[in-house]
Every structure is written in C-alpha cells, then in structure tokens.
Amino acid sequence: MAARQLLRAAPGRRGYSGAGAAEFLHRSIVPTMHYQKSLPRLPVPKLEDTIKRYLNAQKPLLNDDQFRKTEELAHDFEKGIGRELHEQLVAQDNQNKHTSYITGPWFDMYLKAREPVVLNFNAFMSFNPDPKSEYNDQLIRATNMTVSAIRFMKTFRAGYLEPEVFHLNPEKSDTEIFKKIIRFVPSSISWFGAYMVNAYPLDMSQYFRLFNSTRLPKLDKDELYTDEKAKHLLVLRNGNFYVFDVLDRDGNMLEPSEIQAHLKYILSDNSPAPAFPLGYLTSENRDTWALLRKNLLENGNEEALQKVDSAMFCLSLDDFAIKDFVHLSHTMLHGDAANRWYDKSFNLIITKDGTAGINFEHSWGDGVAVLRFQNEVFKDSTKTPAISPQSQPASVDSSRAVQKLDFKLNDALKAGITKAKQKFDATVESLSLNMIQFQEGGKELLKQKKVSPDAVAQLAFQMAFLRQYDQTVATYESCSTAAFKHGRTETIRPASVYTKKCSEAFVKELSKHSTEELQNLIVECSKYHGRLTKEAAMGQGFDRHLFSLRYLALSKGLALPDFYQDQAYARINHNIISTSTLVSSAVQLGGFGPVVSDGFGVGYQVQDDWIGCNVSSYPARNGKEFLQCIYKSLEDIFNVLKGKKIAVDSLWLQEEQNQSKR
C-alpha cells in the first residue's frame, strides 16, 4: 500500500511535468495486456442447443398455434439450411482464431445502423458527487477529472493499468504474491494460471478506443477512427468548440494548474453561442450526416474537423445546475446537442454545480470498459485530486494555448443544422424519463432468502408489464461476454414460462395461492434466471448465434431462410422491455433510450437495501405508470418473501369485472 501511495502526488503538489509518478494512476505488477493472448475463445454454441433455447424463450410470448408454427420452422431450419450455415460459421471461426465469431458482424450491426446514435445507441452513466462538497465546483471538478482521465490513458498505454480480472476467490488471486508469480508466466498461457486460482481475466481489446477516437459518418457504413498521436482535448461550452494540448511534445502531462488555467479561460469566455451549432449534426440520421460532413470538408473545415475527431475526448461544460434526478438523466442522456459531440467515444459532461457524467458512443465498446474508466477516474479525482479549492491557476497565456475552432458554413450546411435541430428537439420533447427508488429491501434481504437479486428485479418488470398491459412481451437483458477474447455481449431473455406463471399468480390469481406457493414460484424464477445468466455469460445464449447465422446467409447472397421470416422471430427481436444494470460506488445513475418506439429503456441497480429504476419511454408507453406497477410488484414480492400475506389488487379485480360485463 505504501508503495502505491508513493506513486501518486499529493493534492496541489508540483512537479507533474516529466515522466513522474503523478503521470500514472498506479503501476500494476502484472502488465495490462498480460492475459490477452491466452484468453479463451468465445464458443459457437451447438445448433440444437440454440434452437432449444430459442423455443424456450418464445414459449411465453406465443399462443399454442403460433408456437407450433414457430417450432416447425425452427426444426426445419435446424435440419436444413441452418445446419449448413452453422457448419460454415464453425469453419470460418476455426480460420480466425485471433478473434471471436461475433466481432465482425457486431461491429457491422452498429456501424451500418443509420438511426441517430443519440437516444438509439448512446448510453449514459452519471458520477456520484465528490464526497468533499467544496470540490463539486465546475472548474475544480473539470480539472481534477480531466487530469485523472489523462492519467488513466497514460497508465493504460504504458501497460501499467491493473488488468481487468473477475476474482471468485480474491484471497488467493487478488494478492501481491499471486501477481508476482503470474507476471512471469508467459502471456500465451497466463490465463490458465489465473483460472487455477478461480480468477477470470477479461478481454481488454476495447480499451484503446476510449481515447482519441470518433465514429465517422459514412454512407451505408460508418468508420471508427483513432489517432493516438494527438495531444489535445476538445472542450465544448455554449455550443463553441475549443482545443488545447494536455500533453507536451514528449507526451508528458501538463501541470494541473495549467489545465485549470485553460479551463478557467474557456469558462470565462463570453463569446455568444453560434447561430448554427455544429453539434446538432451528430444527432442526425447517419447518411444525412455523412453527406453534410462531406460538404463541411469540401467547404474548408478539414483542419477543424480533424481536431475534433482526433481529440483525446470531449469535455462538455454546461452552463446550468442540475435540478433533480430527472433533469440529470435528460442532461446526461441527450442534453443540448449544441454542447455535445455524440460521435466521440465519450463525452465527459460537467454542469455548473459540478455534477458529472459520461455519455458514450456504443459501437466501439461496451459498458465494461467505460465503467472501469469511470471507477478509476472517480477514485483518483476524489482520493488524490490534482488541485484543491485553494489551488491557483498557473500564470500562463491561455489565449495563446487555447484555440477556438471556427467552422465555415454555407447555406446548405446552415439548412442542415436547422433541420437537425428541429428533429432533435422534437424527439427529445417526446421522450419521458421517470425513476423510482424502492427502499423496502435490496440485495441483502434477497440473498438471505436465497433468491437472485437480478432475477427479482427482472421478475418485477415482467409482473409490472402484465399488470399494466395484460401481456408478456419480448424482453432483453444485456450480459457481458468479456471473459472471452473479443467477447461483446449476449442476451439474457428474462421473460420465461416461469416469470409468466409467477406474474399471473400475483397479478390475476392471488386469492388462489398461499404465501408458500408464491414463494416457491419466485424461487423457480430465480433458479431459471440464474441458469440463463450463467449460459449467457459463458457464450451459451441463442441471440448472437442466430444473429451470426443470419448475417452469414445475407453476406453469401442467400435468400433469407423461412425461419428468419417468421413473425415470431421479428417479435422476439422487437424488444419492448430493454434492460441493463451496472452497479458501482462511482455511479449514481445510468440510463439509455428505448430501443423501439413502443418500448421501455430500463436502467436499474439493486443495492444492499434499495432498488433503483430509471425508465425511458416515448408517447406509445406510459413510463410513470410502468414504474408504479414495478413498485407494487417489488412490494408484493418482498412481502411474500418475508412471509406476509398480500392484499388483492383491487384495480385489477375491477378491470376483470368490467371486462366480463362488456
């Protein structure tokens, strides 16, 4: 521990320039990418297992006739064209051992999507406030977080960042002794050494795209661009673009007091907001944006755009304070497009009162990499801040160091920005964000009752939708497959015959079941959900496999097999309830837009003694009511688990009686 302390600088300490210890977060004993070579490969599931899992997921969504038809199509596919495609996929996978079978198709899926990235793909996570309230000042926090972000980048690039490892037995694997031994095990077999002590290193191939990266709009398919040589930061304020170097010629970080001086200069610049804010273009349809970008380049903006694209990241400084959690969600999920560049790998957003969050583009990577970055930045900027409220900005000429970017706009570009703004404003206007905190229990009580906290949260969503709409619909839960080389995500399908049966018992047939029977139904849901989660994490879901087979058929110019033309296949991929959870002491709140216009986007976290939900929706759905139904469902589940009898939902009974009279 003492050694690690020495590697950091005390707040306000000078001597940052030069490759001193303060340039890095820490120096890991084990090199960052030590395990990467020997990571296991993502398995291609057996076709018969995939079909079986697919049909299990379809069962609660279809009536008997629909299911028979889907079952027949699935078995025909399994015996015929599906078998051929599967064999081709396996052969292709065997020829590409350096990667995973999902990598190419998944990047293509994201980069070929033409919808705007904001609200459709970009997600957000907001930071908890700094525990020391005086540090939650916009300039102080922006400086400290920027310095910590640069430290993270430098630590990663130097190979000093602690490898990302999932420890099942930390007493054995998360120790100095183990690390000293494993560092001498060749990279080609190091994973096996970790596995022996129940530790699972995770894929870190996405991390390099965190910095100096941008998604560039191109017709039909976008491109990911990274320029690791660039030394500058992009800062947006009031719709104006500023850049300044944060690294010197030798790649050493500027003094924090200099970064503070440059940010102070930007915050005090009273240039008016541009009449045609360029940021709106990144909220456009990708083909529309690609054509406008071509126009921008042809109109003499190449150098300015190059600065934007290659910047380390985008720091967005907003000129207002956060009112409440709903306002916070809107700010971090979309904000004012004039002050965002949604195509950057991430925007670090800091508001007037020092509230901070990250909005990240999704094609380059997943939440695992972003969350690690966020955890490290939060820890570093709060435990060993680079500047304090007493720190004075350096006496430097910021007017020379900071460059304000000017863009030359013709009439077509002005019209394009105006149209983008109208579309963006209309979409944002139609988006609702609502949230609840259920305070009557959380992870601790659920573990005591031997049920999975995640399974209970997912069961509550199923129960709520049934209570609100009298339906069971396609539901998506994201699960990371980062335990494998170039793994991305797999889908857990939380809507099952078990959740349907349990939800109906609670919502429609309460009087027919004893408390003990209801408890057993919850336990059944938990066991099945646990199995689905384990399968997904081990690369044994069905979604990515079926997606890859479809992708293969289309890439070979084959007619789309009947299996994929089944309405039931379209329906299960129209995810009305899309969910994702990430729990971290650095994160206050997270969320994303609905993935379909008649859906809910559910960001949730199960803490020790409370459960939080952040729900997004468009006018086709009532998010507020859905959350009330989730609350009621959680209340009922917790009461049953505590052995209490629950009251019959009078509203449901009334509705049932009304239905029978009609």
Side-chain angles (χ1 to χ4, degrees), residues 27-237:
R27 288 179 190 243
S28 171
I29 297 169
V30 184
T32 308
M33 302 307 259
H34 187 57
Y35 298 110
Q36 197 65 27
K37 253 188 193 159
S38 57
L39 283 175
R41 300 192 63 233
L42 185 69
V44 179
K46 290 178 179 166
L47 184 61
E48 50 274 30
D49 290 346
T50 287
I51 296 300
K52 201 161 124 191
R53 289 174 183 135
Y54 169 72
L55 290 172
N56 284 342
Q58 284 285 19
K59 208 156 204 168
L61 310 178
L62 304 174
N63 64 33
D64 290 349
D65 289 345
Q66 289 167 330
F67 185 76
R68 262 194 299 276
K69 185 193 166 201
T70 293
E71 190 176 34
E72 199 178 308
L73 285 167
H75 289 313
D76 287 351
F77 178 74
E78 185 189 345
K79 291 196 280 269
I81 183 71
R83 174 70 47 200
E84 289 169 38
L85 289 168
H86 174 75
E87 281 162 9
Q88 285 172 29
L89 183 68
V90 170
Q92 205 177 69
D93 185 52
N94 287 334
Q95 282 163 7
N96 292 284
K97 294 200 165 153
H98 62 286
T99 189
S100 71
Y101 77 91
I102 194 63
T103 300
W106 208 241
F107 271 117
D108 265 13
M109 180 273 296
Y110 273 122
L111 296 172
K112 283 182 173 173
R114 299 293 83 193
E115 300 94 338
V117 292
V118 62
L119 296 181
N120 293 302
F121 297 106
N122 288 27
F124 86 87
M125 291 187 276
S126 73
F127 287 93
N128 271 313
D130 192 305
K132 302 179 292 298
S133 60
E134 67 275 20
Y135 280 77
N136 292 308
D137 165 271
Q138 187 173 30
L139 177 59
I140 292 168
R141 204 159 195 209
T143 306
N144 282 329
M145 286 195 151
T146 297
V147 169
S148 295
I150 299 164
R151 284 180 184 168
F152 181 98
M153 181 207 73
K154 293 203 67 181
T155 309
F156 171 71
R157 287 186 182 163
Y160 297 154
L161 189 71
E162 191 88 35
E164 189 72 8
V165 178
F166 181 62
H167 298 277
L168 275 176
N169 190 353
E171 293 78 25
K172 274 189 175 178
S173 59
D174 200 7
T175 63
E176 300 283 300
I177 290 174
F178 175 74
K179 288 170 189 175
K180 281 174 180 167
I181 295 167
I182 200 75
R183 70 173 296 180
F184 291 111
V185 175
S187 278
S188 53
I189 55 168
S190 57
W191 180 87
F192 298 95
Y195 174 73
M196 303 285 279
V197 290
N198 237 346
Y200 295 87
L202 303 183
D203 178 77
M204 294 181 77
S205 63
Q206 297 174 3
Y207 282 58
F208 84 99
R209 291 254 193 232
L210 263 167
F211 301 100
N212 304 97
S213 295
T214 301
R215 173 176 174 158
L216 302 181
K218 301 277 176 178
L219 287 174
D220 303 324
K221 183 186 170 185
D222 290 354
E223 267 173 32
L224 290 173
Y225 167 82
T226 303
D227 176 5
E228 291 188 356
K229 292 189 197 77
K231 295 176 165 53
H232 62 280
L233 179 69
L234 169 67
V235 183
L236 295 190
R237 179 170 168 263

Side-chain angles (χ1 to χ4, degrees), residues 612-626:
C613 277
N614 192 6
V615 169
S616 62
S617 57
Y618 292 116
R621 298 281 176 199
N622 185 334
K624 213 169 210 157
E625 196 180 84
F626 182 54

